[in-house]
Amino acid sequence: MEYHLNIPVEDDEIKKLKVGDIIYISGKLFTARDEAHHMILEKDSIPFDPSEMGLYHCGPLMKKNNGKWQVVSAGPTTSSRMELFEDRLLEKYAIKIVIGKGGMGKNTQKALQKYICVYASYTGGAGALAADKIEEVEKVYWLDELSMPEAVWIFKVKEFGPLVVAMDTHGNSIYDKIRK
Amino acid sequence: MNLNEVKNGIVRLIKKAETELPQDVIFALEKAYKIETGVAKTQIGAILENIKLAKNSGRPMCQDTGIQTFFVEVGADFPNISQLKDLISDSVKIATREIPLRPNTIDPFSSINHADNTGNHIPYITWDFTEGRDVIITAFPKGGGSENMSKLGMLKPGVGIDGVKDFVVEEMIKAAGNPCPPTVVGIGIGGGADLSLKLGKKALLRPVGVRHKDKSIAAIEEELIKRINDSGIGPMGLGGKTTVLDVHIEKAHRHPASLPVGIVVQCWADRRAKMIIHSNGSWEVK
């Protein structure tokens, strides 16, 4: 099945999604890699609300043009590095969609079921293609502390995809099927 | 020699590597697109669309513009040998601003980003010396996701070449979707720990589709391609027929007690570009 979703998404819509479905999403995403995950979990309060957004495992290549940030290339980064943190992040914030590449482990899979969230795969390395689906760079947090790839970037995206639902809320993972 | 002009050439070289894939890689991806179906086809389709977009807009195809890596063949009679290292390093800094490249050099202790893609030992340059007056530079920007799937096996010689083959297939199945398949796998066999990995990386410089000139090694390359692709891992690990575009092997003689196997994985963005600098400073990027 193919779905076009707007973020924030209701739980019922997320539950409908099954491994192998193709989705396109519109709305806000925040990027977070290892360091940003660590930072979000450590801090008592943060200057943005992850619950309103999708989480994108991405360390973008950005450039500043006339004082405004622009995306040059912004494909996904390897999600398995974030396995150390993801279940705790999903517990802390009501994130409904995680986008990355390569898949995640058992702890995340359990958290996806428990907190109603899906993991969707975007084509790794397709940085120019992804950049063209990002309409606006709304904000950047912790750029000085974490530097360009590790900072949290808030993107407004339109029809961001094609994303493949790779781990759903029913405990299924496309990667398990292949491993067998 | 006009050194600024040479720097312009090296920046052009880096830009070509970051924004245009070699034809042999595109050809292999197009072939994969034809045989794949379903989700796997959507992945290869997105890759091909992305390649076209990057080339036409002059933007890096992947946000991970890599660790700047160069293989340099220096003609012994080239007049400016002592300046080459600085020329490459300066050009990397310019390329970082102008193309631009993502700042990818982080101090392992302080985690401070050096912000210009240089730092201790980086850009990483491998020097070879040849006869003549020209310098040939191959730019080989190397992404982190695929590099993380590299592996060194210090196998027991008793396992033989069958053991080497099993080790490679098992490691590539474990790597699954992480290195952005379809990948190109470079394997160095023999030498010592460092040399096997070095040969693995150098093996990636060979164009996709070109077999080892020793027929028995070429046959092992073909066997490994088949076995890894039969795993069904597929593009991005989402399932499919194409997990590797190619497997390249290089060998060195080994110590009787050792059988080192260095595996170096390259993502589908198998970025390579070459330039020649002549002794008068004129250059060509190929």
Side-chain angles (χ1 to χ4, degrees), chain A residues 59 75 101 123-125 128-129, chain B residues 43 50 59-61 63 102 178 268:
Chain A
K101 71 163 175 92
T123 311
L129 192 64
Chain B
Q43 299 305 302
N50 182 65
R59 276 182 295 167
M61 65 191 81
Q63 73 291 338
R102 195 176 72 182
N178 290 299
W268 64 258

Side-chain angles (χ1 to χ4, degrees), chain A residues 20 22 33 35 59-63 72-76 78 80-81 101-102 121-129 131-132 147-149 164 166 174-175 178, chain B residues 39 42-43 46-47 49-50 53-54 59-63 65 100-104 106 111 113 145 148 176-180 231-233 236-239 268:
Chain A
I22 302 284
R33 293 167 49 121
E35 302 266 351
L61 166 55
M62 309 290 294
K63 87 173 169 197
V72 180
S73 199
T78 310
S80 58
R81 292 199 317 274
K101 71 163 175 92
S121 168
Y122 188 63
T123 311
L129 192 64
D132 281 9
S147 81
M148 185 194 291
V164 179
I174 208 167
Y175 308 101
I178 293 150
Chain B
V39 167
T42 65
Q43 299 305 302
I47 289 170
E49 198 186 334
N50 182 65
L53 198 59
R59 276 182 295 167
M61 65 191 81
C62 179
Q63 73 291 338
T65 49
L101 305 178
R102 195 176 72 182
N104 269 354
I106 299 195
S111 288
N113 194 319
N148 284 347
N178 290 299
C180 281
S231 70
I233 290 166
M236 297 303 144
L238 299 170
W268 64 258

